[in-house]
Amino acid sequence: MQAVVIGKPGSGVDAWTRVERARPEPGPGQVLVRMRAASLNYRDLMIARGLYGGPVKEQLVVLSDGAGEIAAVGEGVTTLRVGERVTSAYYPTWRDGPYRAEHESSSLGIGHRDGVLAQHVVLPASGVVKMPASLSFEQAATLPCAAVTAWQALFEGAARLLPGERVLVQGTGGVSLFAAQLALASGAHVIATSSSEAKLDRLAALGVRDRVHTGARPEWHEEVLRITGGEGVDHVLDVGGAATLSRSLQAVRVGGHVAVLGLLGGMGQAIDPLPILFRSVTVEGMHVGSVSMHERLARAVDRLAIQPVVDEVLDLDDAPRALAKLAAGTHFGKIVIRVP
């Protein structure tokens, strides 16, 4: 079978290599998935650069997010049938309950655990989720990381979104776009930031009425406060980390909620705790979500008629170009690779 692996660890956009491997077989409690599509996350670029999660095993199969159909089931599997359409779960061992440190080692496409950019992948039966009926394989492959992260931040965290509340999303990556779509479909008011005028126009086409150009307004929190009449938003989904968190804390209302979801703007910068303390802000770190959260998201995608924003679908031969495009930051939404 064909697969894409890290052939040159630490070399960034040149790290991926296409190889031939023997088809695996499922053991007890496992399923064999014939993968049809996989999508990229920013962490995949960091792994290729050697900047995320430590060393990786030799010839590690890349990517955590994929969709396909059950090709075979192992002994004892009764909940899934051959032919059913499924997606991978980001943490196959995190079934429910709070996140614990031991779940981290089950994440796909990192460390010593192969990912999903291969024609056949063996996964625990408890670590796959039935696809939303309304989506194609290419669309469903975008869900496991970005969509589940957005879902947890809005609906499963310390402060759950209510209709009519204000939500601030940052940029136009997968998490932010899924958050905007889910919030709009749930009756919330979405405000979005971006440094690109063209991407702001595309946000408008998705129904985001209030948009802030961070290039023209580097102190973008001030514009968010103006839009909200000085009150601030109820929820901020912060994906920028060190580059954005201090402004996020100024853009949120008294008693509001800041979900910290990413590190796109870097790490290591000191954050003033004063706004958190004196404005009673809840700051909550979130890392994707459980299999049960993924299942609830999948049902909501059908119920709310969410159509994932896919920037481009590339063939397996073009996998290195997909990684280079992610590094360039020119995409709007998710980059997907079709598995032949």
Side-chain angles (χ1 to χ4, degrees), residues 109-185:
I110 190 171
H112 295 277
R113 196 172 184 92
D114 280 330
V116 300
L117 192 51
Q119 289 179 309
H120 290 90
V121 175
V122 169
L123 296 170
S126 59
V128 298
V129 176
K130 293 179 182 178
M131 277 175 49
S134 57
L135 301 188
S136 67
F137 288 121
E138 290 80 9
Q139 292 173 315
T142 69
L143 299 181
C145 181
V148 175
T149 300
W151 173 263
Q152 182 186 187
L154 293 173
F155 302 108
E156 309 239 8
R160 302 186 180 188
L161 178 68
L162 298 173
E165 288 189 326
R166 300 178 178 120
V167 177
L168 174 65
V169 301
Q170 299 171 346
T172 56
V175 174
S176 296
L177 287 180
F178 273 119
Q181 290 179 290
L182 289 165
L184 288 169

Side-chain angles (χ1 to χ4, degrees), residues 200-215:
L200 289 171
D201 290 341
R202 296 186 68 176
L203 282 165
L206 289 177
V208 179
R209 185 173 72 249
D210 289 306
R211 305 169 305 281
V212 181
H213 193 301
T214 56

Side-chain angles (χ1 to χ4, degrees), residues 82-258:
V82 171
E84 285 192 294
R85 305 193 313 156
V86 298
T87 58
S88 56
Y90 188 88
Y91 290 120
T93 64
W94 182 13
R95 179 68 207 175
D96 210 345
Y99 175 77
R100 298 192 302 271
E102 58 262 33
H103 296 313
E104 185 63 34
S105 62
S106 74
S107 179
L108 303 175
I110 190 171
H112 295 277
R113 196 172 184 92
D114 280 330
V116 300
L117 192 51
Q119 289 179 309
H120 290 90
V121 175
V122 169
L123 296 170
S126 59
V128 298
V129 176
K130 293 179 182 178
M131 277 175 49
S134 57
L135 301 188
S136 67
F137 288 121
E138 290 80 9
Q139 292 173 315
T142 69
L143 299 181
C145 181
V148 175
T149 300
W151 173 263
Q152 182 186 187
L154 293 173
F155 302 108
E156 309 239 8
R160 302 186 180 188
L161 178 68
L162 298 173
E165 288 189 326
R166 300 178 178 120
V167 177
L168 174 65
V169 301
Q170 299 171 346
T172 56
V175 174
S176 296
L177 287 180
F178 273 119
Q181 290 179 290
L182 289 165
L184 288 169
S186 301
H189 172 193
V190 175
I191 302 170
T193 67
S194 175
S195 60
S196 165
E197 195 69 50
K199 290 181 179 181
L200 289 171
D201 290 341
R202 296 186 68 176
L203 282 165
L206 289 177
V208 179
R209 185 173 72 249
D210 289 306
R211 305 169 305 281
V212 181
H213 193 301
T214 56
R217 295 182 175 90
E219 299 298 321
W220 48 262
H221 64 283
E222 296 177 353
E223 180 63 11
V224 173
L225 291 172
R226 186 195 66 77
I227 291 169
T228 59
E231 183 177 357
V233 298
D234 301 279
H235 304 267
V236 179
L237 277 69
D238 189 285
V239 298
T244 53
L245 187 53
S246 63
R247 291 186 177 88
S248 292
L249 292 171
Q250 297 175 75
V252 71
R253 67 166 171 83
V254 172
H257 177 233
V258 177

Side-chain angles (χ1 to χ4, degrees), residues 21-33:
R21 284 191 170 183
R23 169 176 156 161
E25 295 298 331
Q30 297 178 326
V31 294
L32 179 70
V33 181

